[in-house]
């Protein structure tokens, strides 16, 4: 399973139209269709019913959508974080607080 397949499936689920989903993803309609078929083959079931010009998600398609949304969001976040680290725009900040100091004092000073 590849990230672009998940991206294409999510776009198709939003639009329920191969042409509009392909336009959103900047790919040809046949390329999007092939990616969806490969994803269906890998999952072992139909994700989308194609009936002429009508397209709708199957039970499997509706079931995997929230999982794919979470996975896609996590992976794209990881890509963005990796880009920031490579560019030196990400610094990890660790703060240790001793129990004898009121956390409000520290938090107030950080907001300044």
């Amino acid at each position: 399973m590849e990230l672009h397949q998940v991206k294409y499936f999510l776009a198709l689920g939003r639009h329920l139209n191969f042409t509009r989903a392909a336009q959103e993803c900047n790919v040809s309609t046949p390329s999007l269709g092939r990616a969806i078929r490969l994803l269906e083959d890998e999952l072992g079931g139909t994700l989308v019913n194609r009936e002429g010009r009508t397209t709708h998600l199957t039970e499997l398609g509706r079931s995997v959508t929230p999982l794919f949304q979470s996975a896609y969001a996590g992976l794209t976040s990881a890509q963005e974080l990796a880009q920031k680290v490579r560019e030196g725009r990400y610094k990890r900040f660790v703060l240790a607080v001793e129990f004898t100091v009121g956390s409000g004092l520290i938090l107030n000073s950080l907001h300044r």
Side-chain angles (χ1 to χ4, degrees), residues 14-32:
R14 281 191 298 278
H15 295 287
L16 296 176
N17 180 289
F18 279 83
T19 302
R20 285 193 294 261
Q23 288 171 343
E24 178 184 320
C25 297
N26 296 313
V27 296
S28 69
T29 304
S31 293
L32 185 127

Side-chain angles (χ1 to χ4, degrees), residues 10 12 17 21 26 28-31 39 53 62 66 70-71 77 80 88:
L10 292 174
L12 182 58
N17 180 289
N26 296 313
S28 69
T29 304
S31 293
L39 187 57
R53 293 193 178 270
R62 287 188 303 275
S70 295
S77 292
E80 291 167 6

Side-chain angles (χ1 to χ4, degrees), residues 2-112:
E2 297 193 24
L3 186 59
H4 75 276
Q5 293 170 313
V6 173
K7 175 184 176 182
Y8 296 174
F9 171 74
L10 292 174
L12 182 58
R14 281 191 298 278
H15 295 287
L16 296 176
N17 180 289
F18 279 83
T19 302
R20 285 193 294 261
Q23 288 171 343
E24 178 184 320
C25 297
N26 296 313
V27 296
S28 69
T29 304
S31 293
L32 185 127
R34 270 191 304 279
I36 298 297
R37 279 191 298 282
L38 288 171
L39 187 57
E40 289 174 329
D41 290 346
E42 188 167 343
L43 293 174
T46 305
L47 296 170
V48 180
N49 276 335
R50 306 155 180 91
E51 298 168 0
R53 293 193 178 270
T54 304
T55 301
H56 60 276
L57 298 180
T58 64
E59 173 88 20
L60 177 60
R62 287 188 303 275
S63 298
V64 299
T65 294
L67 299 171
F68 281 166
Q69 287 169 331
S70 295
Y72 187 76
L75 290 171
T76 54
S77 292
Q79 288 175 329
E80 291 167 6
L81 177 60
Q83 180 72 26
K84 288 178 183 177
V85 169
R86 283 192 306 274
E87 294 171 354
R89 296 185 298 128
Y90 176 80
K91 302 293 180 201
R92 188 167 173 210
F93 178 73
V94 178
L95 176 66
V97 179
E98 193 171 322
F99 286 108
T100 58
V101 176
S103 62
L105 294 172
I106 294 172
L107 292 176
N108 286 338
S109 67
L110 288 177
H111 286 284
R112 293 181 189 174

